[in-house]
Amino acid sequence: MGACLGACSLLSCASCLCGSAPCILCSCCPASRNSTVSRLIFTFFLFLGVLVSIIMLSPGVESQLYKLPWVCEEGAGIPTVLQGHIDCGSLLGYRAVYRMCFATAAFFFFFTLLMLCVSSSRDPRAAIQNGFWFFKFLILVGLTVGAFYIPDGSFTNIWFYFGVVGSFLFILIQLVLLIDFAHSWNQRWLGKAEECDSRAWYAGLFFFTLLFYLLSIAAVALMFMYYTEPSGCHEGKVFISLNLTFCVCVSIAAVLPKVQDAQPNSGLLQASVITLYTMFVTWSALSSIPEQKCNPHLPTQLGNETVVAGPEGYETQWWDAPSIVGLIIFLLCTLFISLRSSDHRQVNSLMQTEECPPMLDATQQQQQVAACEGRAFDNEQDGVTYSYSFFHFCLVLASLHVMMTLTNWPGETRKMISTWTAVWVKICASWAGLLLYLWTLVAPLLLRNRDFS
């Protein structure tokens, strides 16, 4: 009897994996929107790929894989493949990360094309977006296995440039999300202060604004201390000085009387968040400079505990502090994309989401939530709450960005060491982000016939 019940339970779970998002939730979970659950599961697929990439970069994994008899065998000092003609080196280090992220990027790019112009859940393709998770997982696994059969050749060099472009775009998306977050934060706390007639909310805004500026000043001092020398490292000095000057300019612009009249919610809190993020991108760029005297994160020629040499001479560098911080910001921004729509119409237009998704009236919605207790309910019958295609495109860019972050933007084919390409991409991204923020401040003044409220 117990075996029969267990078989029935397994069959029900299998039907849920092959069905739609509502089955994914358990009875103890609150009812959630179908659109939110689907985005979270797709994000989980991305995070699963990131986890595999992290494992492949872990110290000791490289040497342990070479010891497995079914992977490679040593013959005449050259690793050869027992079966399948797989390049053994492709299973190891940053080349494994490139192939893993290629698989996830191809997976999400396929859905980017498949989900073009889906307008509501009545579209047959919406059922694919919100269901069939088991088959999607099989597709992802199949792409991953196939990616490891790609010959090394020029694949790594070509895919590197795809990663550069994708990472640049995702850095800009991160900045848009940070600007929107800071605007929403400032607006809500100012609203609370007026509603409660309490100065505590103003004190909180002042505290965090001051904290972010102090952290930015400390970052500038530390970058001058560790990434420059009195007689050299002129590029680093120029980058730090320029970005500091630009941050001061946008901070002044944020509190100009005309800007305040056009945007009463604009203030130093948003400017302080952007300043701190710009300092982080600058720090990340400086940590990619391929000169030992200007980059303390660069491994020395004499060996370092953070460098693991593989049997083929490939070197895998364990992450430095900028990479770890970048990975944390990446995780938070990806979750932000999956969970939240903006309070601002312009950001929703840019990110292809809706501030107020079309829903049923309050009574019908409550009845539907009650009927779907512990399950996800369809909130997109009258229209999608986000662009399926653009969401998957963001995950494509996220796959490319995390690939570059985990591998430290490798510019050399046999070492995970960055080049000046990585430095300039990050610096240009910081400048583009500051220009974008400045545009959000002055756009209401230049385009008076448009509503920026």
Side-chain angles (χ1 to χ4, degrees):
M1 187 66 178
C4 292
L5 292 175
C8 292
S9 177
L10 289 175
L11 288 175
S12 65
C13 290
S15 65
C16 284
L17 290 174
C18 299
S20 59
C23 288
I24 298 298
L25 296 179
C26 60
S27 58
C28 60
C29 298
S32 301
R33 294 183 178 93
N34 201 29
S35 57
T36 303
V37 175
S38 297
R39 283 183 286 181
L40 283 176
I41 298 174
F42 276 115
T43 304
F44 170 76
F45 282 173
L46 175 62
F47 288 172
L48 190 62
V50 174
L51 179 61
V52 173
S53 300
I54 291 174
I55 293 174
M56 286 297 186
L57 283 177
S58 301
V61 171
E62 196 166 322
S63 59
Q64 293 299 321
L65 280 175
Y66 266 99
K67 294 178 182 179
L68 296 177
W70 54 271
V71 176
C72 300
E73 65 176 2
E74 296 290 340
I78 301 176
T80 59
V81 180
L82 293 179
Q83 296 179 356
H85 304 288
I86 304 177
D87 178 14
C88 189
S90 67
L91 296 171
L92 311 173
Y94 85 93
R95 290 182 294 175
V97 176
Y98 268 44
R99 283 159 173 79
M100 185 68 238
C101 292
F102 172 81
T104 56
F107 175 77
F108 292 120
F109 185 71
F110 168 74
F111 280 97
T112 299
L113 300 178
L114 182 63
M115 297 299 162
L116 285 171
C117 301
V118 175
S119 58
S120 72
S121 60
R122 294 187 175 92
D123 191 308
R125 290 174 294 170
I128 301 176
Q129 168 76 6
N130 299 317
F132 302 99
W133 300 107
F134 178 72
F135 296 109
K136 290 176 184 175
F137 181 74
L138 289 183
I139 293 173
L140 180 58
V141 171
L143 288 172
T144 302
V145 174
F148 282 93
Y149 279 88
I150 299 175
D152 199 33
S154 59
F155 166 77
T156 301
N157 294 330
I158 295 175
W159 193 236
F160 168 80
Y161 290 104
F162 277 92
V164 167
V165 176
S167 186
F168 176 85
L169 295 176
F170 192 77
I171 289 175
L172 294 183
I173 290 178
Q174 286 182 334
L175 187 69
V176 170
L177 297 176
L178 282 174
I179 293 174
D180 175 56
F181 171 75
H183 273 291
S184 300
W185 182 7
N186 186 71
Q187 185 174 349
R188 290 180 181 178
W189 280 30
L190 286 177
K192 290 286 186 180
E194 295 177 359
E195 179 183 348
C196 301
D197 194 20
S198 173
R199 295 184 178 180
W201 297 101
Y202 293 111
L205 289 174
F206 174 79
F207 171 77
F208 282 105
T209 300
L210 181 62
L211 175 64
F212 294 153
Y213 274 123
L214 290 178
L215 289 175
S216 301
I217 294 172
V220 170
L222 291 174
M223 285 188 288
F224 271 115
M225 184 182 303
Y226 290 103
Y227 293 91
T228 63
E229 288 187 347
S231 59
C233 305
H234 301 296
E235 296 88 353
K237 294 176 182 176
V238 171
F239 292 151
I240 299 171
S241 301
L242 278 178
N243 279 359
L244 176 61
T245 303
F246 292 155
C247 289
V248 171
C249 291
V250 297
S251 297
I252 294 174
V255 293
L256 290 176
K258 290 186 177 180
V259 173
Q260 289 289 309
D261 292 339
Q263 294 194 78
N265 291 321
S266 175
L268 289 178
L269 177 65
Q270 299 93 314
S272 66
V273 172
I274 301 308
T275 299
L276 185 59
Y277 181 73
T278 302
M279 291 302 112
F280 161 71
V281 177
T282 307
W283 176 39
S284 180
L286 295 178
S287 68
S288 299
I289 293 179
E291 295 181 10
Q292 184 69 50
K293 63 178 182 179
C294 303
N295 184 2
H297 299 290
L298 203 63
T300 62
Q301 298 293 333
L302 299 177
N304 192 299
E305 293 181 356
T306 62
V307 178
V308 181
E312 287 188 329
Y314 284 86
E315 293 184 355
T316 300
Q317 180 186 354
W318 193 238
W319 309 317
D320 50 21
S323 298
I324 295 174
V325 176
L327 181 61
I328 294 173
I329 294 177
F330 158 80
L331 295 174
L332 293 176
C333 287
T334 307
L335 284 175
F336 193 84
I337 294 173
S338 303
L339 292 173
R340 183 178 180 273
S341 294
S342 173
D343 295 332
H344 299 89
R345 181 169 50 84
Q346 290 76 22
V347 176
N348 284 319
S349 177
L350 178 64
M351 299 299 294
Q352 298 293 299
T353 56
E354 294 187 9
E355 180 180 351
C356 298
M359 298 285 291
L360 303 173
D361 60 66
T363 304
Q364 292 178 330
Q365 182 178 344
Q366 291 176 359
Q367 292 174 353
Q368 189 176 34
V369 171
C372 299
E373 188 66 31
R375 298 162 64 92
F377 60 90
D378 186 4
N379 64 317
E380 299 180 309
Q381 294 179 356
D382 298 326
V384 295
T385 60
Y386 66 101
S387 170
Y388 292 171
S389 183
F390 187 78
F391 170 72
H392 289 295
F393 181 67
C394 287
L395 294 186
V396 172
L397 299 181
S399 301
L400 296 174
H401 178 70
V402 76
M403 177 183 76
M404 305 306 289
T405 300
L406 291 178
T407 58
N408 199 28
W409 296 69
E412 297 186 19
T413 57
R414 302 182 72 86
K415 295 181 181 180
M416 289 176 60
I417 298 176
S418 299
T419 62
W420 282 104
T421 301
V423 177
W424 280 107
V425 167
K426 295 177 183 179
I427 289 296
C428 290
S430 69
W431 292 343
L434 287 170
L435 186 62
L436 180 63
Y437 175 63
L438 182 62
W439 172 251
T440 64
L441 296 176
V442 301
L445 300 176
L446 301 178
L447 305 174
R448 298 182 181 275
N449 58 335
R450 294 188 60 182
D451 180 21
F452 289 90
S453 60

